[in-house]
C-alpha cells in the first residue's frame, strides 16, 4: 500500500475524526457540485461525457493507476482537472462533494469506503465488489456515514422498465413460476492465452492489483478482467447484475434461498481466462408478494453464440400462467397464454422512449437529486448489494460443484464451510477491508 502524503492523511483524518463530512455541505438547487473521477478507462470516459452534460457538475479531479489514460481524460475536460494516481489523494482534494468510481470490479469497494469515510457521496459502477462480504461492508459504511451511493444500473431509471415492473407487480401475468435472464455473445475466436510480460509504460501494475494476489502482468488479466476470479465474476455477475436488479424490483424480493451453477470453457478452451465462457445458473426464491409459491430464476450466458431469445441478446423473460413478458433495453412485449382458443390477456408492446445516453444522464441527475435531498437514490447501495448477490451465489455454487443454500438474514451459506469461504474475498496485505 502506498503511504499517504502528510496532506492527504491530515485532511482525511480531520474529516472523519471530527465528524465533519467534507462533502456533506448542503447543496442548493443550482449549487455547483465538485466531482472527482476514479478510473478513466472506457466506462470512466463515458461517464465523464455524461456528467459534463449537467450544468451544475464541475469535474475537478481525475485518477487512474494508468497514468497515460488519466492524462487523456484530463485533456478531455475544460477547465483541466487535477490529476492523481492514488485514489486516496483524490478523495482529499479540497472542496470535493462526490466521486464517480468507474474502475474494474475489484477496485469498487475500497475507494467507495474511503470516500464515505471522508464525507463524500458516490456514483459507483456495478457490480458491488467481487464478493458478498465486500458489499455488506460498503453498505454498513455508507449508512454509518450517511452517504448517498448511486450504483450505475441505469435500467432502474428507464421508463419502460418501470412500466414493466408495474405490470408484473399488478399480477397481470398471472402466477409467475420462472424468470429467465440471459446474456448472449459471440466472442469468436476467443481471448486466447497471451504470455505474461511487462506492463505497458505508465501502468502501475502492483497498484492495479491492489488487494488481489500479486501476479505477473498479463494482457488478458488487464483487458479481460471480467473473466478472472480475482477481478470480476464473468457475465453472470458483471453484466447480469442489471437483470437481477430488475427481477428483484419486479418480483418484490431481496434474496434467493438457494443457488446452483454449471459451466465450463466449452467455446474457447485455449483461453487463459478462468470463469466459464458457457454458464447456466439457477436461484430459488421463496414465497413473496408476486410469486406466492416462490419462483425459479434461471440464468444463461454464452460467449460462443449470440442467437437471441425472444429477439433479445441481453434480457429477461417473466413466465406467468396468463402471459409472458420479455424485457430488454429496447422495450418489452407481452405474449398471452391461450385457453380454449382465446387469449387470456391483451398482448401489447412498448418501445424505449429514450436513447441510453439520455437515460444514463437521468440516472446521474437522480444521483445529484439524492445528494440534495439525502434520500435513497433509484439504485441505492443496499438494493444493488442484494442484486449483486445472485451472481455471487451462482458462482460460489459453480466453484464448489453443488447447490448452496443461503441465509439472507445473516448473509451466510448454510452448512457448507467450503462455500462460505468464498463469501468474503481475502485481501492482500497491507490493504484491509474494515469489518465494522
Amino acid at each position: 500500500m502506498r503511504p499517504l502524503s502528510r496532506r492527504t492523511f491530515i485532511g482525511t483524518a480531520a474529516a472523519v475524526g471530527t465528524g465533519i463530512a467534507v462533502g456533506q455541505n448542503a447543496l442548493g438547487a443550482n449549487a455547483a457540485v465538485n466531482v472527482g473521477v476514479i478510473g478513466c478507462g472506457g466506462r470512466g470516459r463515458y461517464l465523464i461525457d455524461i456528467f459534463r452534460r449537467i450544468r451544475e457538475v464541475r469535474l475537478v479531479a481525475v485518477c487512474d493507476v494508468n497514468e497515460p489514460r488519466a492524462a487523456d481524460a484530463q485533456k478531455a475536460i475544460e477547465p483541466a482537472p487535477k490529476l492523481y494516481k492514488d485514489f486516496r489523494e483524490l478523495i482529499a482534494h479540497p472542496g470535493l462533494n462526490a466521486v464517480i468510481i468507474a474502475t474494474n470490479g475489484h477496485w469498487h469497494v475500497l475507494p467507495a469506503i474511503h470516500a464515505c469515510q471522508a464525507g463524500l457521496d458516490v456514483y459507483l459502477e456495478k457490480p458491488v465488489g467481487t464478493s458478498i462480504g465486500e458489499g455488506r461492508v460498503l453498505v454498513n459504511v455508507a449508512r454509518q456515514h450517511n452517504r448517498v451511493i448511486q450504483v450505475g444500473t441505469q435500467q432502474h431509471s428507464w421508463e419502460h422498465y418501470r412500466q414493466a415492473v408495474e405490470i408484473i407487480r399488478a399480477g397481470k401475468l398471472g402466477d409467475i413460476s420462472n424468470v429467465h435472464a440471459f446474456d448472449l455473445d459471440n466472442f469468436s475466436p476467443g481471448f486466447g492465452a497471451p504470455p505474461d510480460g511487462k506492463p505497458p509504460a505508465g501502468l502501475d501494475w502492483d497498484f492495479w492489483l491492489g488487494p488481489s494476489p500479486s501476479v505477473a502482468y498479463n494482457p488478458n488479466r488487464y483487458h479481460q478482467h471480467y473473466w478472472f476470479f480475482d477481478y470480476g465474476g464473468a457475465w453472470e455477475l458483471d453484466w447480469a447484475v442489471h437483470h437481477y436488479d430488475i427481477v428483484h424490483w419486479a418480483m418484490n424480493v431481496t434474496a434467493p434461498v438457494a443457488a446452483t451453477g454449471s459451466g465450463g470453457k466449452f467455446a474457447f478452451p485455449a483461453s487463459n481466462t478462468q470463469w466459464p465462457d458457457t454458464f447456466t445458473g439457477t436461484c430459488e426464491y421463496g414465497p413473496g408478494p408476486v410469486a406466492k409459491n416462490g419462483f425459479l430464476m434461471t440464468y444463461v450466458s454464452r460467449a460462443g453464440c449470440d442467437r437471441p431469445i425472444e429477439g433479445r441478446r441481453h434480457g429477461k423473460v417473466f413466465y406467468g400462467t396468463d402471459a409472458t413478458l420479455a424485457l430488454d433495453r429496447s422495450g418489452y412485449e407481452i405474449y398471452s397464454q391461450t385457453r380454449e382458443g382465446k387469449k387470456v390477456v391483451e398482448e401489447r408492446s412498448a418501445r424505449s422512449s429514450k436513447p441510453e445516453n439520455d437515460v444514463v444522464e437521468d440516472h446521474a441527475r437522480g444521483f445529484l437529486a439524492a445528494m440534495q435531498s439525502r434520500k435513497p437514490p433509484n439504485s441505492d447501495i443496499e438494493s444493488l448489494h442484494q442484486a449483486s448477490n445472485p451472481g455471487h451465489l451462482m458462482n460460489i455454487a459453480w466453484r464448489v460443484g453443488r447447490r448452496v443454500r443461503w441465509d439472507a438474514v445473516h448473509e451466510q451459506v448454510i452448512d457448507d464451510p467450503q462455500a462460505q469461504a468464498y463469501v468474503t474475498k481475502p485481501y492482500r496485505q497491507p490493504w484491509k477491508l474494515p469489518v465494522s
Side-chain angles (χ1 to χ4, degrees), residues 365-376:
R365 290 183 180 278
F367 170 56
L368 299 178
M371 288 179 65
Q372 294 170 350
S373 69
R374 310 314 299 170
K375 295 179 180 178

Side-chain angles (χ1 to χ4, degrees), residues 35-90:
V35 177
V37 181
I38 301 171
C40 299
R43 191 63 182 179
R45 288 294 299 271
Y46 175 76
L47 290 175
I48 284 172
D49 290 341
I50 293 295
F51 275 82
R52 285 173 63 194
R53 295 181 176 194
I54 303 173
R55 181 174 54 85
E56 297 85 1
V57 169
R58 304 287 183 269
L59 296 172
V60 298
V62 295
C63 175
D64 201 296
V65 297
N66 185 325
E67 294 182 85
R69 177 182 283 178
D72 286 344
Q74 183 189 41
K75 292 174 185 175
I77 301 170
E78 184 64 39
K82 178 74 173 177
L83 190 63
Y84 296 97
K85 187 174 79 171
D86 189 322
F87 71 89
R88 295 165 296 179
E89 294 187 352
L90 177 141

Side-chain angles (χ1 to χ4, degrees), residues 134-167:
E134 286 180 303
R136 175 48 60 194
V137 170
L138 179 54
V139 172
N140 292 345
V141 170
R143 297 296 184 252
Q144 177 185 354
H145 294 276
N146 191 29
R147 293 297 93 204
V148 170
I149 300 183
Q150 167 93 306
V151 182
T153 47
Q154 65 274 7
Q155 291 177 172
H156 217 103
S157 294
W158 223 319
E159 178 62 17
H160 73 274
Y161 280 96
R162 184 191 62 77
Q163 293 171 357
V165 166
E166 290 176 352
I167 290 168

Side-chain angles (χ1 to χ4, degrees), residues 366-414:
F367 170 56
L368 299 178
M371 288 179 65
Q372 294 170 350
S373 69
R374 310 314 299 170
K375 295 179 180 178
N378 269 348
S379 296
D380 179 56
I381 184 59
E382 175 70 47
S383 65
L384 265 298
H385 165 64
Q386 295 165 350
S388 297
N389 290 348
H392 287 306
L393 289 169
M394 287 188 284
N395 275 341
I396 290 172
W398 175 78
R399 294 187 81 166
V400 300
R402 57 183 169 271
R403 176 176 177 266
V404 296
R405 295 182 298 132
W406 183 240
D407 175 352
V409 174
H410 300 98
E411 293 194 337
Q412 294 181 351
V413 176
I414 299 171

Side-chain angles (χ1 to χ4, degrees), residues 19 26 30 39 48 57 92 101 137 151 180 190 201 210 253 284 291 349 354 363 365 393 408:
N30 298 310
I48 284 172
V57 169
I101 299 176
V137 170
V151 182
H180 185 52
V253 295
E284 303 166 32
S349 63
K354 280 189 174 184
H363 205 58
R365 290 183 180 278
L393 289 169

